Amino acid sequence: MNTLERRTFAAALRAAKRNAYCRTVGGFVIVRMSDGTIDWFPLGQTPNRSGEPDREAIILGKWRWNYRRWSRVA
């Protein structure tokens, strides 16, 4: 992961951790989309762009909310 990807990864991580819906559904995933952008999605939602599923998205990490703190899932 290059420096720019690390910055966008960190920004996506911060935004997802602050999102109340992610806590409600119990977690989120951070993915690299087929066009190279890094984005996050709540658990149970398929990675998509404008409603079209992105079947080539690569999962970079998963996080779960255990009612007290975020923990990374392998």
Side-chain angles (χ1 to χ4, degrees):
M1 216 185 285
N2 63 30
T3 306
L4 181 61
E5 284 181 341
R6 280 196 197 112
R7 284 186 193 144
T8 55
F9 183 88
L13 183 61
R14 279 193 308 273
K17 284 183 174 181
R18 291 181 184 147
N19 189 296
Y21 184 69
C22 289
R23 287 185 182 181
T24 303
V25 297
F28 63 92
V29 294
I30 295 183
V31 297
R32 180 183 296 126
M33 305 299 280
S34 59
D35 63 356
T37 60
I38 296 177
D39 205 353
W40 61 270
F41 295 93
L43 285 182
Q45 181 179 336
T46 57
N48 63 72
R49 284 280 177 226
S50 303
E52 292 295 320
D54 188 352
R55 294 184 180 7
E56 297 175 13
I58 300 168
I59 295 176
L60 301 176
K62 281 186 184 178
W63 279 262
R64 288 235 179 244
W65 177 249
N66 67 1
Y67 301 101
R68 187 177 290 162
R69 64 183 182 89
W70 288 104
S71 57
R72 187 163 184 178
V73 179

